[in-house]
């Protein structure tokens, strides 16, 4: 009971710099899991919220909980892979609340299988829901914010929080579709941040660990005593902060977050550089012979994939049971 009371105090108390009163937010995949926790946290910080998920996927329940807490909420049920759904989310925000300030992209689905046995349909569904879904909502809201900025001649208040995954950092076996989609989301986030910063848009991505229906089989059971570090509620404070005025200086970043841990990922770095003129090329251009000479000195690492970031696994605490192949 004490832990629950402490959670309520932390999650519902707001500071001026993270106060979202007067703001309007869209949260996709809000019917359960991470999206539900994010929608509730944004509402607790003062935002009016439009929640999206597939019909019958928990939207009525989360909307009722938000409304019971005194916040205003609207439901837009629909497939996030459809342009009409993205358009309806923006239109609802503007028609019901007069504006849109925050977009949290969270909707997703898993169809795990090894690359050599994955069907084209399993690939397409996951890429469509995650990557296309993120694109469609980002497309319509950035168009809206750009038009506002051009009309006023000033930056607008605009926040995007996308949901990537450590699967793209780790190259998770059994998740080629999911890892590819999440890598695409990270790239989409950086592109959005760089393309739209001049209009006031701040776009960041999180790689969360959360115990949800989608990830139930990827984690150890929750601890019997004390807080569960994999509870999605512990991801929500970072999302709320990134949606707030306090995050105006944070743009194009990728965070790994769970429980009491948050890490900001560094951009990719150059591992080694080879130059043809240092390997016998008379004109400084690569030939088969000179590239073979150069790569003969390639600094090989431990067996396994080279372009993978396994360092994030060290972020786990003793109370967390997390398997490397885990998704969101």
């Amino acid at each position: 009971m004490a832990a629950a009371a402490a959670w309520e105090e932390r999650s519902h108390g707001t500071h001026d710099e993270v106060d979202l009163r007067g703001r309007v937010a869209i949260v996709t995949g809000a019917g359960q899991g991470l999206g539900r926790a994010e929608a509730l946290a944004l509402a607790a910080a003062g935002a009016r919220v439009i929640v999206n998920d597939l019909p019958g996927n928990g939207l009525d329940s989360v909307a009722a909980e938000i409304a019971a807490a005194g916040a205003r909420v609207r439901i837009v049920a629909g497939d996030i892979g459809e342009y009409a759904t993205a358009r309806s989310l923006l239109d609802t925000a503007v028609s019901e609340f007069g504006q849109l300030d925050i977009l949290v992209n969270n909707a997703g689905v898993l169809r795990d299988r090894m690359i050599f046995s994955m069907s084209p349909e399993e690939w397409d569904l996951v890429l469509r829901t995650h990557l296309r879904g993120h694109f469609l909502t980002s497309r319509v809201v950035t168009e809206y914010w750009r038009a506002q900025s051009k009309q006023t001649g000033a930056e607008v208040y605009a926040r995007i929080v996308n949901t990537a995954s450590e699967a793209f950092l780790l190259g998770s076996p059994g998740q080629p579709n999911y890892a590819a989609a999440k890598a695409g989301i990270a790239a989409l986030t950086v592109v959005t941040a760089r393309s739209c910063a001049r209009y006031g848009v701040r776009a960041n991505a999180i790689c969360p660990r959360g115990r949800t229906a989608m990830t139930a089989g990827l984690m150890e059971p929750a601890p019997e005593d004390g807080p569960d570090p994999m509870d999605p509620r512990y991801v929500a404070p970072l999302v709320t902060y990134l949606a707030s005025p306090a995050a105006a200086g944070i743009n194009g970043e990728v965070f790994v977050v769970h429980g009491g841990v948050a890490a900001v990922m560094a951009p990719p770095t150059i591992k080694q550089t080879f130059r043809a003129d240092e390997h016998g090329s008379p004109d400084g251009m690569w030939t088969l012979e000179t590239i073979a000479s150069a790569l003969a000195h390639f600094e090989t690492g431990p067996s396994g994939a080279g372009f993978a970031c396994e360092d994030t696994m060290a972020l786990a605490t003793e109370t967390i049971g997390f398997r490397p192949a885990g998704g969101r």
Side-chain angles (χ1 to χ4, degrees):
M1 292 297 293
W7 163 258
E8 290 298 320
E9 181 179 351
R10 289 197 302 271
S11 63
H12 290 281
T14 60
H15 303 286
D16 289 343
E17 66 271 19
V18 293
D19 192 342
L20 297 181
R21 283 176 292 184
R23 304 299 179 186
V24 178
I26 289 170
V27 182
T28 71
Q32 54 188 317
L34 283 165
R36 181 188 185 94
E38 291 161 349
L40 289 168
L42 292 170
R48 294 160 287 175
V49 185
I50 297 94
V51 292
N52 159 262
D53 214 312
L54 292 172
N57 205 28
L59 284 178
D60 290 340
S61 174
V62 69
E65 189 170 349
I66 291 171
R72 298 178 65 187
V73 60
R74 295 291 183 274
I75 292 174
V76 175
D79 179 357
I80 203 60
E82 294 286 347
Y83 177 78
T85 302
R87 186 79 246 175
S88 181
L89 283 165
L90 175 61
D91 290 346
T92 299
V94 175
S95 64
E96 294 289 326
F97 301 127
Q99 65 195 71
L100 176 69
D101 307 288
I102 300 159
L103 167 65
V104 178
N105 280 311
N106 170 77
V109 65
L110 287 179
R111 290 295 184 274
D112 290 355
R113 201 175 297 276
M114 297 300 285
I115 184 63
F116 43 77
S117 57
M118 178 164 288
S119 71
E121 292 76 20
E122 290 166 330
W123 173 272
D124 289 345
L125 174 63
V126 171
L127 268 290
R128 181 180 186 276
T129 305
H130 290 273
L131 186 53
R132 176 179 165 87
H134 274 62
F135 159 71
L136 290 176
T137 52
S138 298
R139 163 67 176 82
V140 299
V141 303
T142 54
E143 179 187 31
Y144 165 77
W145 286 326
R146 177 175 178 267
Q148 280 193 318
S149 177
K150 284 184 169 291
Q151 184 177 10
T152 63
E155 289 189 0
V156 298
Y157 185 101
R159 304 285 189 268
I160 297 176
V161 182
N162 289 330
T163 306
S165 168
E166 286 175 89
F168 98 87
L169 297 168
L170 299 168
S172 298
Q175 293 188 309
N177 48 5
Y178 184 78
K182 293 306 190 180
I185 287 168
L188 175 66
T189 302
V190 175
V191 169
T192 304
R194 298 191 70 177
S195 303
C196 300
R198 72 186 73 175
Y199 309 118
V201 178
R202 303 292 180 262
N204 296 284
I206 61 169
C207 298
R209 298 179 191 174
R211 192 183 309 281
T212 68
M214 198 171 84
T215 62
L218 303 173
M219 297 179 180
E220 301 298 333
E224 295 183 2
D225 299 319
D228 177 8
M230 295 291 98
D231 191 317
R233 293 183 301 174
Y234 295 116
V235 172
L238 174 60
V239 173
T240 303
Y241 185 88
L242 292 174
S244 76
I250 304 175
N251 199 28
E253 302 289 356
V254 177
F255 294 80
V256 175
V257 57
H258 60 272
V261 178
V264 186
M265 300 305 299
T269 59
I270 296 173
K271 185 176 183 179
Q272 288 179 261
T273 301
F274 306 97
R275 301 190 183 281
D277 57 6
E278 296 174 356
H279 291 273
S281 174
D283 60 1
M285 297 297 107
W286 287 118
T287 65
L288 180 58
E289 290 75 16
T290 56
I291 197 72
S293 172
L295 294 186
H297 303 283
F298 187 81
E299 295 179 7
T300 58
S303 59
F307 195 79
C309 180
E310 298 184 355
D311 292 348
T312 61
M313 296 310 301
L315 296 173
T317 66
E318 293 180 358
T319 58
I320 296 175
F322 181 76
R323 304 172 190 172
R328 301 162 57 242

